[in-house]
Amino acid sequence: MKSMRETTLQTLGLGSVLDIFRKGRLPVDEAELIDKVFGPAADRGALVISGGNGIVGSGKAMQLGSRLVPFGVPVVTLDLPDAPDGLGQQYAGLKASFGAGRANEIMAGIIRLNYDGASLPVELNGFKPRFVLEAIPEILNIKRAHYELMRQSFPEVEIRSVTSGFPSSELGVGILHPSFPHQINKVWEVVEENPSDITRLFWALGMIPVPVGDYWSFILDVLFCGITLAALRFHRVTNMPFWKIDKYVRRLVGPNPLRAHDAIGPGASFLTWSCLHHLAGEYGELFSPSPELVRRKESGESWYPSNRPVVDWDLDDDEDFQSWILGPLFQMTSLLLHENRAHLSHMNAIGELCAQFTRGMPALIRGYGSDKVISRVEAYHRLHPEAAADCWHPDAFAAMDSPEWRQLYVNAEHDGQVGVVTISREALNWDVIDELNRAVDWLKGEGIAKVILTSDFHLSTQMIGADTTEFFSALENEDAGFDLSKSWSETARRFHDEFDVSVGFVNGKRCLGGMLELMMHCHYLVSVDGARLGMPEVTLPVVPGMEGCHWAFRKADPADYPKLTEMLLGGRFTPANAAAGWLVDFAGPVEDALQKAWLIVSGGDHGIRMRKVEAGEISLPDTPPDIPPTGNPIIESGRKAIWDCIRASCGVTLAQALQVQSKHSAGFMTTTACRKGTIGGSRKKIVEV
């Protein structure tokens, strides 16, 4: 077996994606791992969350309880008697996600115990703790004393800390550092000597564990606290209001760090100060907290004023702004790279999934190129000379031509006969398209003619379509929209035109929009039956730009055209098992779907007729089937534009359709209806500072 780079699953001890298809099953089973971690059903032990009433502890009690309680695992929260009722505050969100009945069942499996911090309640013995997740305050001697207390009573118990910055070597336990927002984000930075059953169980339960190195603070915190500090330092030299700086930061790289602090709550500033304080002690002035942050670590006051004035405050010098913001971020990333803190794809994903960067730092750095990155850091050092003394590693950018740098989102593997292309990003952007092309080129160069296209079974738990920030330039420039639609469609067609057999495999909870358009270009489309499929472009509205307006029609029987039309014009999702025959070729439980995909791609007896793409013209009626009106003129404009594109691109040959649909897609993006829709609104918030 060969691969372009190491798969991220291999860092968890779970093998490769190609292994999953060849064996026809996932690498681990959640029920078996539940038994390993918590004991057999007849003697099931508990998960104990210390500090279970805090922001992190209560959020993780809900997140883990919803997954573990159905297996009979008691979730015990432990906290001081006067701790605020964080668990009660979580119930509304639990009810909204699961309904009252299921929420009550989950809450019934969560046992709340109080203790004095110095001794454990005797009731805890009856729950037979097997795994302790510690989320108590960030004071090292208190944490260590708590571990000793637990080990005295339960010598075999496994302990992991959610610490915001202490390394495992200081704590004496492994680390499971959850990324925020704590209630919903599934990413955990994991520090342990070797992948454990606990880490593999988290993966099996649908979490995203990410192995990282054992250093002060974590990748998320270095990036998020780092960008917060960069914004605060810009405030000190310009006196620009915090909220206005936040908007410029969002336009440049993605997150609103100061607003995020206000959203998390008063304790967020203390945690950021704590992280930077320890980093500064370890690495120097680059991380030294600003006076504004030092003040708020105790006061907890908000960064945004309650009645902020509308101030037309422009940047005097955009170059200086970029140096103050990007310079320290690039320098901090050089430290992470120098220390080899994580697989590059992991490091990149943490920035996007957790810190809300539009592009992860490795992807952003790759786009700038090493020379511009180094020049930007040097410009920052001229503005802030004290930061130049420590932890600047320009040599960390020397290997940017390696596969690890070039394939941050897309990997390819093969066994000499069959290849697998995996996408680890939930939304398509130009980076993914470029990497897909390189992956196809690599497989063809290796002589591979049969391929499976899928998500990576790790970082991408869903495929939500196109990254709509890529459309911003097309709202003002039709040529940009045409180039995007045409280029992305040409990449998708490669999976139809350049392989003897290609299978798109949908794994996860949904596959929508551009991702579904990409997948349907494969000769066969196989899905797990729990996935939801759809084309929600009409709700934005935009015209599908990757041949969604004609490709599925060319593969479907005419009797199924109304279903496709309703999907495109209604914007509603359909379960994969209800789409069999007209959108997907097979849908079933995960093992059945894996085995079917392998039979198809390897030439086995799979029993499915390949739906060929009609190369000629397709006749459609002048008007679409009746669909209830929305009452929203913007969406109705989108419906008309999509129907016009369907008729136009179906009414020509396959060879002509790509040009036709690209022109329709690009033309609509410059209309008032599109600019007043969701994408136009997002652009206004992000770009028009």
Side-chain angles (χ1 to χ4, degrees):
M1 291 175 58
K2 293 181 65 176
S3 63
M4 294 185 79
R5 59 160 170 79
E6 180 188 30
T7 69
T8 61
L9 282 180
Q10 288 171 317
T11 67
L12 302 176
L14 296 176
S16 70
V17 177
L18 185 54
D19 283 334
I20 292 174
F21 285 101
R22 291 176 61 171
K23 295 175 181 177
R25 64 179 186 276
L26 297 176
V28 289
D29 176 76
E30 60 183 8
E32 292 178 5
L33 286 168
I34 290 282
D35 289 347
K36 286 184 177 181
V37 174
F38 295 104
D43 189 33
R44 196 78 95 202
L47 164 67
V48 177
I49 300 180
S50 304
N53 271 328
I55 294 174
V56 179
S58 60
K60 292 308 152 186
M62 299 295 105
Q63 192 179 51
L64 296 174
S66 65
R67 291 164 168 82
L68 295 175
V69 168
F71 287 95
V73 177
V75 177
V76 180
T77 64
L78 197 61
D79 217 322
L80 301 175
D82 60 350
D85 182 19
L87 284 166
Q89 296 173 18
Q90 299 287 345
Y91 178 71
L94 197 68
K95 184 177 176 181
S97 297
F98 297 105
R102 176 81 188 283
N104 291 337
E105 290 176 11
I106 294 168
M107 290 298 291
I110 297 176
I111 301 96
R112 307 190 201 191
L113 295 180
N114 294 327
Y115 80 131
D116 60 5
S119 61
L120 298 176
V122 294
E123 296 92 339
L124 188 59
N125 295 324
F127 295 106
K128 298 172 288 191
R130 298 289 298 270
F131 171 29
V132 174
L133 187 66
E134 172 268 303
I136 65 177
E138 291 297 286
I139 302 172
L140 187 57
N141 63 328
I142 293 179
K143 288 179 181 290
R144 288 171 173 166
H146 185 71
Y147 307 148
E148 183 61 26
L149 188 64
M150 282 291 179
R151 286 170 175 146
Q152 287 175 358
S153 298
F154 310 104
E156 302 301 319
V157 74
E158 289 279 353
I159 302 175
R160 299 291 187 275
S161 176
V162 303
T163 177
S164 67
F166 293 116
S168 176
S169 58
E170 293 285 334
L171 294 167
V173 299
I175 292 171
L176 280 168
H177 175 61
S179 302
F180 61 87
H182 302 293
Q183 297 90 335
I184 58 174
N185 203 305
K186 299 178 181 179
V187 179
W188 301 70
E189 294 187 62
V190 181
V191 179
E192 56 190 6
E193 190 171 343
N194 294 299
S196 67
D197 286 333
I198 290 174
T199 297
R200 285 189 277 262
L201 173 60
F202 272 48
W203 179 84
L205 293 172
M207 303 290 188
I208 307 175
V210 177
V212 298
D214 190 27
Y215 297 93
W216 282 94
S217 195
F218 299 95
I219 292 171
L220 166 61
D221 295 318
V222 170
L223 296 176
F224 186 74
C225 297
I227 196 170
T228 302
L229 180 60
L232 296 180
R233 284 185 170 153
F234 185 73
H235 164 78
R236 285 195 67 76
V237 298
T238 64
N239 203 35
M240 182 179 285
F242 296 125
W243 63 268
K244 193 70 174 181
I245 296 171
D246 233 24
K247 289 180 174 291
Y248 283 117
V249 169
R250 182 181 182 183
R251 184 175 71 178
L252 182 62
V253 288
N256 284 125
L258 300 175
R259 185 170 187 172
H261 278 74
D262 287 351
I264 294 168
S269 292
F270 172 82
L271 290 175
T272 294
W273 170 85
S274 176
C275 170
L276 292 169
H277 169 74
H278 289 298
L279 284 168
E282 188 73 14
Y283 298 110
E285 173 62 23
L286 176 66
F287 294 100
S288 183
S290 72
E292 294 82 5
L293 184 59
V294 173
R295 187 177 81 231
R296 281 170 173 78
K297 81 180 176 71
E298 298 296 341
S299 71
E301 65 190 276
S302 298
W303 294 98
Y304 274 46
S306 57
N307 295 307
R308 78 174 180 269
V310 177
V311 180
D312 186 16
W313 196 312
D314 293 327
L315 286 173
D316 292 329
D317 190 331
D318 187 61
E319 282 296 310
D320 271 5
F321 174 74
Q322 292 199 37
S323 296
W324 276 110
I325 303 301
L326 293 178
L329 283 176
F330 290 161
Q331 183 173 352
M332 292 170 187
T333 305
S334 81
L335 172 65
L336 300 178
L337 295 167
H338 174 75
E339 293 177 335
N340 194 26
R341 287 208 182 190
H343 191 293
L344 264 179
S345 293
H346 283 161
M347 190 184 301
N348 195 69
I350 288 169
E352 293 184 1
L353 294 174
C354 310
Q356 304 300 302
F357 282 78
T358 305
R359 298 165 76 197
M361 286 307 300
L364 186 66
I365 286 168
R366 183 180 67 181
Y368 275 93
S370 60
D371 290 344
K372 289 184 178 179
V373 167
I374 292 169
S375 294
R376 183 63 68 188
V377 178
E378 290 172 345
Y380 168 60
H381 290 166
R382 289 191 289 274
L383 297 169
H384 185 203
E386 297 85 352
D390 304 293
C391 61
W392 169 222
H393 304 281
D395 56 329
F397 308 121
M400 287 171 59
D401 286 333
S402 67
E404 289 74 20
W405 272 97
R406 288 171 59 79
Q407 299 300 126
L408 295 168
Y409 302 104
V410 179
N411 195 24
E413 314 163 51
H414 74 81
D415 63 2
Q417 299 294 322
V418 175
V420 175
V421 174
T422 55
I423 302 173
S424 66
R425 197 176 199 268
E426 295 182 343
L428 284 171
N429 66 0
W430 276 106
D431 286 318
V432 174
I433 293 297
D434 290 342
E435 292 188 21
L436 279 170
N437 282 318
R438 288 196 287 268
V440 171
D441 291 342
W442 182 78
L443 286 174
K444 289 174 64 64
E446 294 284 312
I448 302 302
K450 301 175 181 180
V451 68
I452 297 171
L453 174 64
T454 185
S455 63
D456 73 337
F457 286 77
H458 184 200
L459 300 174
S460 178
T461 59
Q462 58 184 341
M463 307 179 87
I464 59 174
D467 185 335
T468 54
T469 61
E470 297 285 19
F471 298 166
F472 288 172
S473 60
L475 296 177
E476 305 294 335
N477 185 335
E478 187 170 336
D479 289 342
F482 182 85
D483 182 46
L484 184 148
S485 177
K486 183 172 180 291
S487 297
W488 290 21
S489 297
E490 287 172 342
T491 298
R493 283 198 180 195
R494 297 190 71 183
F495 287 92
H496 178 269
D497 297 343
E498 299 185 30
F499 293 99
D500 294 343
V501 180
S502 59
V503 180
F505 186 87
V506 177
N507 175 60
K509 54 189 176 183
R510 58 179 67 93
C511 183
L512 309 175
M515 282 291 192
L516 181 57
E517 291 175 280
L518 172 65
M519 289 288 176
M520 70 172 65
H521 277 80
C522 294
H523 300 125
Y524 297 87
L525 186 55
V526 175
S527 176
V528 296
D529 54 10
R532 301 176 72 201
L533 312 177
M535 300 288 291
E537 284 88 344
V538 68
T539 64
L540 298 174
V542 292
V543 173
M546 289 179 70
E547 307 198 271
C549 288
H550 73 95
W551 195 273
F553 286 90
R554 294 179 184 277
K555 294 185 72 173
D557 292 328
D560 292 321
Y561 289 174
K563 297 176 184 176
L564 291 168
T565 303
E566 184 176 2
M567 181 178 72
L568 284 158
L569 301 187
R572 290 184 290 274
F573 304 164
T574 182
N577 54 5
W582 58 274
L583 185 61
V584 303
D585 298 290
F586 178 86
V590 62
E591 289 194 0
D592 292 350
L594 288 168
Q595 291 162 18
K596 184 65 71 174
W598 185 254
L599 281 174
I600 294 171
V601 78
S602 63
D605 184 11
H606 54 82
I608 297 178
R609 175 184 63 88
M610 186 175 77
R611 297 180 298 126
K612 293 187 177 180
V613 178
E614 171 58 56
E617 300 174 6
I618 297 175
S619 177
L620 292 171
D622 292 338
T623 57
D626 288 336
I627 297 177
T630 64
N632 184 327
I634 292 177
I635 292 180
E636 293 302 325
S637 295
R639 280 185 172 179
K640 181 181 183 306
I642 291 172
W643 179 248
D644 289 346
C645 184
I646 291 172
R647 291 193 70 247
S649 56
C650 286
V652 297
T653 66
L654 181 63
Q656 299 168 317
L658 191 150
Q659 190 89 0
V660 170
Q661 63 99 42
S662 296
K663 187 169 181 60
H664 274 260
S665 178
F668 182 73
M669 276 196 276
T670 62
T671 65
T672 300
C674 186
R675 290 200 299 270
K676 286 186 175 181
T678 300
I679 296 172
S682 295
R683 183 188 182 280
K684 189 175 183 65
K685 289 179 181 179
I686 295 172
V687 177
E688 297 178 15
V689 176

